[in-house]
Amino acid sequence: MRIFNCYLIIIFYICIRKLNVSLLNNKIMKTKIVSLLLCVGLLFACNNTQKGAGVGAGGGAVLGGIIGAIAGNTAVGAVVGGAVGAGVGAVIGNRMDKAKAEAAKVQNAKVETVKDANGLDAVKVSFDSGILFATGKSDLNATSQNSIKQIADVLKKNSDMDVAIYGHTDSTGSDAINNPLSKKRAQAVQKSLVNQGVSNIKVVDGQGSKNPVADNSTEAGRQQNRRVEVYMYASQQMIQAAQSQAN
């Protein structure tokens, strides 16, 4: 039954992602979707409680990843085999708190704690594309160099964490324009970071306009959606080290 429940969550998630663009532009609908997912999660929790297990680390990771994705956060990291225990989560959470504090000092950066694909804490650092790039361009401008250097220092200091870089646009224009532009911008940030000695970048991609974090019907919302995100998340090596420490 628990396996069946997991399949239902995954199928429901896929259906929601298919409707992602149109639904996420409506804040009311977005709230309803997240609320519905929470209800589904509570329902499964009640079902599993009869077996004395609760949701457990594995189910919590799946549900946390789904809700994070719908809220506009990209699910980062490869899912590890087996459930990640609370002790491991605490060890990694402590490391991520320290990395977040360091990243918070980076100029022009918005820093948040999010969940990775394993339900573990990760750090998302967002840069407004208007600060890094000229309109419609993918070459880093001169004023961005200080911010890039500062985040490079943070990434090098936390070299046991994996890094993912994603470019995003607003919904203005077509996918034929937005998708390659967002990827080129992510690649420009990657190139600059690598040139400054960062060696732990695992994923670089552009997501166009499909993962908005704000309402595209307003100028303020579109500005928030034009961004580059740099994620720091637990590597396999870091998870194994945390497991040893937790034990």
Side-chain angles (χ1 to χ4, degrees):
M1 179 63 70
R2 294 183 67 183
I3 294 175
F4 178 70
N5 287 343
C6 289
Y7 281 138
L8 284 179
I9 293 178
I10 294 169
I11 293 170
F12 187 57
Y13 169 55
I14 292 171
C15 292
I16 291 300
R17 294 293 290 172
K18 292 293 184 181
L19 299 174
N20 190 45
V21 173
S22 60
L23 294 179
L24 286 183
N25 285 334
N26 185 314
K27 292 181 179 179
I28 295 176
M29 185 63 73
K30 180 178 177 179
T31 301
K32 289 181 178 179
I33 292 171
V34 174
S35 299
L36 179 58
L37 279 170
L38 288 172
C39 290
V40 172
L42 288 173
L43 177 63
F44 293 159
C46 291
N47 179 61
N48 288 334
T49 299
Q50 295 175 358
K51 301 178 181 179
V55 170
V62 172
L63 187 59
I66 292 172
I67 292 174
I70 291 177
N73 297 324
T74 301
V76 294
V79 178
V80 299
V84 178
V88 174
V91 173
I92 290 178
N94 184 55
R95 281 290 312 279
M96 292 298 169
D97 285 343
K98 294 177 180 178
K100 180 182 178 181
E102 295 164 1
K105 300 175 184 178
V106 175
Q107 184 178 4
N108 299 318
K110 177 184 177 182
V111 183
E112 307 168 69
T113 298
V114 297
K115 294 295 183 182
D116 69 8
N118 295 297
L120 297 169
D121 283 353
V123 178
K124 179 174 77 170
V125 183
S126 302
F127 294 95
D128 184 335
S129 289
I131 295 173
L132 302 181
F133 306 96
T135 302
K137 303 296 183 181
S138 59
D139 298 319
L140 286 166
N141 59 39
T143 59
S144 69
Q145 295 305 315
N146 190 42
S147 296
I148 297 298
K149 181 182 183 304
Q150 289 175 348
I151 190 62
D153 290 340
V154 174
L155 298 180
K156 287 186 290 185
K157 187 174 180 179
N158 296 280
S159 60
D160 59 339
M161 297 181 187
D162 284 343
V163 176
I165 305 171
Y166 292 94
H168 301 268
T169 68
D170 61 28
S171 61
T172 304
S174 66
D175 288 345
I177 295 174
N178 290 334
N179 291 346
L181 177 61
S182 63
K183 185 168 186 176
K184 287 179 181 178
R185 286 179 168 178
Q187 290 171 333
V189 172
Q190 174 201 25
K191 181 178 179 180
S192 181
L193 291 173
V194 169
N195 287 342
Q196 297 183 59
V198 176
S199 60
N200 47 338
I201 300 173
K202 304 301 181 182
V203 180
V204 181
D205 199 10
Q207 301 198 337
S209 61
K210 70 180 181 181
N211 275 323
V213 293
D215 189 351
N216 269 311
S217 67
T218 68
E219 176 53 39
R222 289 191 294 273
Q223 181 177 354
Q224 292 181 59
N225 290 330
R226 297 189 295 266
R227 67 201 190 279
V228 173
E229 296 171 344
V230 178
Y231 288 84
M232 291 181 282
Y233 58 97
S235 64
Q236 184 72 40
Q237 172 191 355
M238 187 176 180
I239 291 174
Q240 291 172 348
Q243 288 171 334
S244 297
Q245 185 174 342
N247 294 333

